[in-house]
Amino acid sequence: PYRVPYDIMLPDAEIWAAKLDQDVAVVHPLASGRRCWIQLVSGALELGEMTLKPGDAAAITGEREVRVRALAPSEVLLFDLG
């Protein structure tokens, strides 16, 4: 997968962009007290028991990591927030 962090104008926040091939799974660790927002741009993504489709998003709190798997070639944004 291709992941690039982008600096944004929010304190203590990162944006990660990823292009994932079908069946590729990735894990993003979350430090204690952090939360994240996942925005699917294209493709299909498995997040836990949910399937995200283009335009779908998910807020994640209280977890130590985020695990996703591409069900099709996918582009996704992950916002890691303090």
Side-chain angles (χ1 to χ4, degrees):
Y2 175 69
R3 294 171 27 139
V4 177
Y6 292 93
D7 290 331
I8 57 176
M9 299 304 293
L10 295 173
D12 201 22
E14 296 177 344
I15 298 176
W16 292 83
K19 282 187 170 184
L20 305 174
D21 291 329
Q22 185 171 345
D23 293 322
V24 170
V26 293
V27 177
H28 180 82
L30 291 173
S32 180
R34 294 191 68 82
R35 59 198 190 282
C36 80
W37 179 268
I38 292 181
Q39 183 75 48
L40 186 61
V41 177
S42 66
L45 203 63
E46 180 181 83
L47 173 65
E49 296 180 10
M50 295 187 308
T51 298
L52 301 180
K53 296 180 178 152
D56 287 348
I60 298 161
T61 61
E63 300 292 333
R64 300 290 286 161
E65 64 185 18
V66 179
R67 292 177 176 267
V68 298
R69 183 175 69 88
L71 302 175
S74 301
E75 295 180 61
V76 60
L77 297 173
L78 183 143
F79 300 80
D80 187 327
L81 307 167

